[in-house]
Amino acid sequence: MIVGVGIDVVDVARFMATLRRSPGLRERLFTPVERDLPASSLAARFAAKEAIAKALGAPGTMSWQDATVHRVTGGPPQVEVVGTVAARAAELGVDRFHLSISHDAGIASAMVVAERD
């Protein structure tokens, strides 16, 4: 059963300019395994985290550090949630996420479906 759907779109150049203006933002938004990715991948991960939050009803209590997007060779990206994001998912009964991310022509996008049995 689908619990929620989230989508987000990010302008890569504008997002990277924001990260340059606010250096601490990179550490606040991304987990250590995500921080050194190329610009388009960082923007796509940010879009994915926004989409995850929207799929979970976007409560303001979730931490950016509590969701990590992992690249899987030959498969779809995987979402790992801990802490506040895992707690919200559990509250809603979400036991899996389906994530699609893309980046092209200066735009990064992500779509998430939160699902439970």
Side-chain angles (χ1 to χ4, degrees):
M1 167 189 243
I2 294 174
V3 175
V5 176
I7 188 168
D8 198 63
V9 177
V10 175
D11 179 295
V12 175
R14 190 169 78 190
F15 181 72
M16 294 311 292
T18 300
L19 288 182
R20 283 190 296 279
R21 278 193 312 274
S22 304
L25 194 57
R26 184 182 297 250
E27 285 73 32
R28 200 176 88 200
L29 296 176
F30 300 105
T31 61
V33 299
E34 297 170 318
R35 289 182 191 146
D36 294 327
L37 293 170
S40 58
S41 293
L42 273 181
R45 288 281 182 309
F46 178 74
K49 291 178 184 219
E50 282 279 337
I52 291 164
K54 290 173 183 176
L56 295 175
T61 57
M62 293 190 301
S63 169
W64 295 100
Q65 291 288 320
D66 289 347
T68 303
V69 176
H70 296 282
R71 181 175 177 216
V72 177
T73 303
Q78 297 297 306
V79 176
E80 176 188 3
V81 296
V82 298
T84 58
V85 179
R88 177 60 178 171
E91 182 181 324
L92 297 173
V94 172
D95 50 26
R96 66 190 156 278
F97 293 94
H98 304 277
L99 169 63
S100 178
I101 57 178
S102 185
H103 38 81
D104 188 33
I107 300 293
S109 63
M111 191 271 200
V112 171
V113 175
E115 187 178 24
R116 71 173 174 233
D117 286 327

